[in-house]
Amino acid sequence: MGVRYGSANEKMRDALARVAPGTPLRDGIDRVVRAQAGALLVLDDGPDVLSICSGGFLVDAPYSPQRLSELAKMDGAIIISLDGGRIARANVHLVPDPTVPTSETGTRHRTAERVARSLGVPVVSASEEMGVINVYAGGGKRQLQEVGRLLERANQALQTLERYKIRLDDAIANLTAVEVEDVATLRDVAAVVQRGEMVHRIADEIETMIVELGVDARLLRLQLDELYGEIDDELELVVTDYVADDHTAAQTLAEMSSLTDDEIHDLRLSANALHRIAESTDLGQSVAPRGLRLLNRTGRLDAESAAAIAQHFNGLSKLQRATIDELTAVAGIDAATAADVRETLARVTESAILDQYN
């Protein structure tokens, strides 16, 4: 599944994968928590990390959960190699940049957040009294949850994803219907882009939960793949059909991802992300697709040929009226492919109209 996400979220997921249930590192952290001891673990032993280390002692020994549990009985931080295979140092006093902002109050968690933010390395802290495990990475923080509770949340999120996907499917079906009748408006397109981003955000959160659950997420992975399918590919085709010539679908989707949860509900912002027109506040204005999305449903047509056809006819309405002879005039399109394109467009048109009026 080609879920889109930024580098910050990617760093958090990498960190969560290292401490997921079933991993040696998580086994060691769980031992620390069960022993009601605290821990501050820096999951990188690069020069930047070592430069803020004071005191402690060199361990340079292979990592094991038992060794981590024993070393955590001391107050200082533990430095673990980037690959997780060795414990580099223990009982270290960390001296991060004190000007780095932190929302934490406890000394251990405050130090963990400052180290993670200032050096860009993953840090894990486990509180001694509450047994709370926090992961700091990519400028963010995530508190690890008990597996049963996280599974419950993930299943609820899957149900939400299913409901939002139905709404997205309805918006795409409506867009197809108005496209083949040549009455599409900016509102129809913006609705698909908006709902696609909402579905993406829910799937993105579930993806993070799956990473956090590790070996306990096999069933969730299958369910997410079945629900999410190729939504990103479909949404990219919708955007490509309407985005301005001097912009790309990737730029539009990146702009949508940057919107806040409140902003995403404003259809005008979704319309503006297409950069198709100078004035995006008129959601009722007519727009015409290039036809790439519907051409993509032709089995024997590759992406390059589809783009050549769309460019040649400059719009779906002209493409729908094209004869086989006119289609074969496009470089690389033979009679069989042209017939397949004609048949596909006719089938899509008929199906869309029937769905609209049934």
Side-chain angles (χ1 to χ4, degrees):
M1 182 185 62
V3 176
R4 294 173 283 118
Y5 53 88
S7 58
N9 204 4
E10 190 173 0
K11 289 180 179 179
M12 175 58 77
R13 286 181 182 168
D14 287 343
L16 290 174
R18 295 177 65 179
V19 297
T23 61
L25 189 53
R26 180 59 174 269
D27 185 10
I29 295 171
D30 286 342
R31 287 171 179 263
V32 172
V33 171
R34 286 195 298 269
Q36 296 184 322
L40 176 56
L41 314 176
V42 181
L43 309 185
D44 193 316
D45 61 342
D48 289 344
V49 173
L50 299 182
S51 69
I52 64 167
C53 293
S54 174
F57 56 88
L58 181 67
V59 178
D60 194 24
Y63 171 87
S64 72
Q66 296 84 356
R67 184 169 284 129
L68 178 67
S69 179
E70 289 300 317
L71 291 173
K73 293 178 181 178
M74 295 178 285
D75 291 334
I78 300 173
I79 312 299
I80 299 175
S81 64
L82 184 61
D83 63 5
R86 301 186 69 78
I87 299 177
R89 301 192 179 198
N91 199 28
V92 169
H93 176 60
L94 297 174
V95 190
D97 183 353
T99 64
V100 174
T102 174
S103 59
E104 299 289 1
T105 54
T107 302
R108 180 179 287 119
H109 296 306
R110 188 165 62 246
T111 300
E113 185 171 26
R114 280 186 169 144
V115 170
R117 285 183 177 274
S118 61
L119 301 184
V121 297
V123 182
V124 179
S125 65
S127 64
E128 187 172 347
E129 297 179 359
M130 303 294 293
V132 173
I133 305 170
N134 289 331
V135 178
Y136 302 88
K141 163 190 170 182
R142 193 172 183 94
Q143 181 177 320
L144 298 187
Q145 299 182 31
E146 188 269 330
V147 169
R149 183 180 177 188
L150 189 56
L151 280 170
E152 183 179 351
R153 283 188 56 213
N155 284 317
Q156 291 173 349
L158 278 171
Q159 294 174 13
T160 303
L161 177 63
E162 187 172 11
R163 292 195 300 271
Y164 273 77
K165 184 179 181 296
I166 291 173
R167 297 177 188 176
L168 174 60
D169 290 342
D170 289 343
I172 291 176
N174 175 70
L175 179 62
T176 303
V178 294
E179 281 179 343
V180 299
E181 293 185 344
D182 198 20
V183 292
T185 67
L186 187 58
R187 183 185 301 277
D188 299 319
V189 182
V192 172
V193 176
Q194 176 199 59
R195 293 180 186 183
E197 176 60 25
M198 290 178 175
V199 168
H200 160 66
R201 291 186 185 198
I202 299 169
D204 195 44
E205 177 60 24
I206 297 172
E207 179 76 19
T208 301
M209 293 181 188
I210 288 173
V211 173
E212 185 176 344
L213 283 164
V215 295
D216 296 310
R218 294 188 184 93
L219 182 57
L220 279 175
R221 165 61 66 195
L222 293 174
Q223 291 174 298
L224 179 59
D225 288 349
E226 182 179 1
L227 269 178
Y228 199 80
E230 298 179 350
I231 288 177
D232 278 346
D233 295 334
E234 179 79 0
L235 187 60
E236 184 173 351
L237 286 169
V238 170
V239 174
T240 302
D241 257 352
Y242 291 95
V243 72
D245 291 333
D246 57 348
H247 283 71
T248 66
Q251 289 173 317
T252 291
L253 296 174
E255 285 187 41
M256 293 299 298
S257 295
S258 69
L259 296 178
T260 66
D261 290 339
D262 289 333
E263 290 173 336
I264 196 65
H265 293 286
D266 189 342
L267 272 180
R268 291 170 299 180
L269 294 177
S270 298
N272 189 59
L274 293 167
H275 295 278
R276 187 178 175 91
I277 53 173
E279 180 57 64
S280 62
T281 56
D282 180 13
L283 296 176
Q285 64 185 280
S286 297
V287 291
R290 294 181 171 92
L292 278 169
R293 182 170 66 92
L294 299 190
L295 282 172
N296 191 64
R297 301 186 184 184
T298 304
R300 65 168 67 223
L301 200 63
D302 58 39
E304 185 177 344
S305 298
I309 293 175
Q311 184 176 14
H312 180 84
F313 289 97
N314 193 31
L316 179 61
S317 60
K318 292 181 181 179
L319 180 56
Q320 287 177 292
R321 298 191 299 269
T323 65
I324 289 181
D325 288 341
E326 289 172 331
L327 285 165
T328 54
V330 180
I333 305 301
D334 56 26
T337 302
D340 201 6
V341 169
R342 287 277 299 160
E343 181 183 345
T344 299
L345 291 176
R347 185 175 64 251
V348 170
T349 299
E350 181 181 2
S351 176
I353 294 175
L354 287 175
D355 288 345
Q356 185 80 347
Y357 293 103
N358 283 344

